[in-house]
Amino acid sequence: MARATVFQRIGEYRIERVLVRSSTYLEYEGEHLVLPRRALLKVMAGNVAPLPVLREACILEALHHPG
């Protein structure tokens, strides 16, 4: 996937700013186009093993903390 720039889209999210650039991933702050939701979008480079990334996503999804 090509790098997104500010105000481009990734899926249903409009990219607002680039947070992190590294050799393995890019992190963007985005806003959902329909729902009132903001999110951090992590786009992995092609040379990254998918299992650790999937594990991290599952752990983050399981968190339910009011803070």
Side-chain angles (χ1 to χ4, degrees), residues 37-59:
R37 178 184 302 166
R38 300 185 65 72
L40 177 126
L41 305 164
K42 187 181 250 185
V43 179
M44 307 310 293
N47 60 349
V48 176
L51 187 58
V53 176
L54 181 59
R55 188 174 299 129
E56 177 185 348
C58 290
I59 291 168

Side-chain angles (χ1 to χ4, degrees), residues 7-67:
F7 302 119
Q8 285 187 326
R9 289 176 40 183
I10 295 178
E12 296 296 318
Y13 288 87
R14 180 172 52 94
I15 302 305
E16 299 204 340
R17 67 184 175 132
V18 177
L19 298 174
V20 176
R21 292 177 198 247
S22 80
S23 61
T24 57
Y25 66 90
L26 290 161
E27 278 186 1
Y28 301 101
E29 180 180 358
E31 183 172 12
H32 197 275
L33 297 171
V34 178
L35 302 173
R37 178 184 302 166
R38 300 185 65 72
L40 177 126
L41 305 164
K42 187 181 250 185
V43 179
M44 307 310 293
N47 60 349
V48 176
L51 187 58
V53 176
L54 181 59
R55 188 174 299 129
E56 177 185 348
C58 290
I59 291 168
L60 291 173
E61 184 64 27
L63 291 176
H64 296 285
H65 190 278

